[in-house]
Amino acid sequence: MGRVALSHQFTGPTSGYGSDRVQANVVILPKDYAYDFLLFCVRNQKSCPLIEVTDVGSPYCSGGDIDLRMDIPRYRVFQHGTFTDEPLDIKDYWQNDFVGFLIGCSFTFEHALITGGIPMKHIQQGKNVAMYVSNIECSQAGMFSGKTVVSMRPIHQSQVELAVEITAKYPHTHGAPIHIGHPKLIGIEDIYRPDFGDNITIEPSEIPVFWACGVTPQVVCLNGKPEIMITHAPGHMLITNYLIKDF
């Protein structure tokens, strides 16, 4: 189940897949940058709740059954802070000093929201979730600093409290929302122009609810400019072998 992207069999967003498994954002960095990034995660746990760190040079994680070089549907490569490539595997980029970080993803708790009677409109519409760069500053760690990225899901006004209650049970995958309604208060001028993902219509009876998002390191990378940094493409997560019930 974790190897959803093996041999490029699946290259799309993973929202709605692997309902019993933890989904993870991935950041891969050379060892020289790993401590600063680890410290960044510790200081920004809502955006970057760590669930695993690999051994130096090892591409294997989640019990050894997942290969970070090819088991993510789509990758992003940043070099000196500039986005340079979006490959389907990173076998040609892999270095012996790489360290992989697995960061819990909010796609993990979507099954619980749906089971609780709260529909996920982006799944219903076959879209990626909407993501925005907010004005919420991250706590700096070494070379890593920047704004928090948030994911947004329209929730019926009668179900917002329930959505908060359900997602608060998943602190390893961003937990409860960090903002509800009033997108301009967190620096989002046009809710219908997400920085990542797809535009999702918000009905008058719905309220935009915002969760911290693991795409944050991709924005932070633009400031820190490490020699090379590889991540998942937004919305194209690693489906791990970790069971949600064990977290």
Side-chain angles (χ1 to χ4, degrees), residues 36-212:
D36 279 356
F37 186 72
L38 178 63
L39 187 59
F40 180 83
C41 293
V42 170
R43 291 178 176 173
N44 298 277
Q45 294 185 37
K46 285 294 285 186
S47 299
C48 301
L50 271 179
I51 58 176
E52 185 175 346
V53 180
T54 68
D55 292 329
V56 177
S58 173
Y60 300 106
C61 63
S62 193
D65 188 47
I66 288 177
D67 189 332
L68 290 178
R69 296 171 296 188
M70 59 184 181
D71 286 342
I72 297 171
R74 190 177 297 273
Y75 298 79
R76 279 195 165 189
V77 179
F78 299 84
Q79 294 172 305
H80 301 286
T82 299
F83 168 56
T84 58
D85 196 8
E86 193 169 276
L88 298 181
D89 67 63
I90 55 168
K91 290 181 285 188
D92 292 340
Y93 285 102
W94 191 261
Q95 299 178 184
N96 290 331
D97 65 341
F98 272 164
V99 179
F101 296 84
L102 272 60
I103 296 168
C105 173
S106 59
F107 285 178
T108 303
F109 57 55
E110 288 181 338
H111 180 69
L113 288 170
I114 294 169
T115 301
I118 301 175
M120 296 287 98
K121 292 181 70 174
H122 60 285
I123 295 178
Q124 292 176 335
Q125 297 173 10
K127 293 183 176 181
N128 198 354
V129 72
M131 293 163 273
Y132 309 82
V133 180
S134 75
N135 61 8
I136 303 170
E137 287 284 352
C138 297
S139 296
Q140 183 172 354
M143 65 187 297
F144 296 104
S145 65
K147 308 292 187 181
T148 300
V149 177
V150 294
S151 61
M152 186 278 296
R153 294 163 180 82
I155 305 294
H156 192 276
Q157 56 191 8
S158 67
Q159 296 180 306
V160 170
E161 185 175 347
L162 178 60
V164 173
E165 180 183 339
I166 289 174
T167 57
K169 299 175 183 177
Y170 298 88
H172 294 292
T173 57
H174 303 298
I178 62 172
H179 188 75
I180 297 173
H182 309 293
K184 289 187 177 182
L185 291 181
I186 57 171
I188 300 171
E189 293 300 323
D190 188 347
I191 196 69
Y192 293 114
R193 296 184 64 184
D195 296 295
F196 309 98
D198 296 322
N199 173 33
I200 307 296
T201 302
I202 303 172
E203 303 298 336
S205 61
E206 296 173 328
I207 295 174
V209 180
F210 301 90
W211 282 264

Side-chain angles (χ1 to χ4, degrees), residues 25-26 72 74-76 214-215 218 230-237:
N25 305 271
V26 174
I72 297 171
R74 190 177 297 273
Y75 298 79
R76 279 195 165 189
V215 175
Q218 298 186 28
I230 300 175
T231 71
H232 64 290
H236 298 67
M237 317 311 299

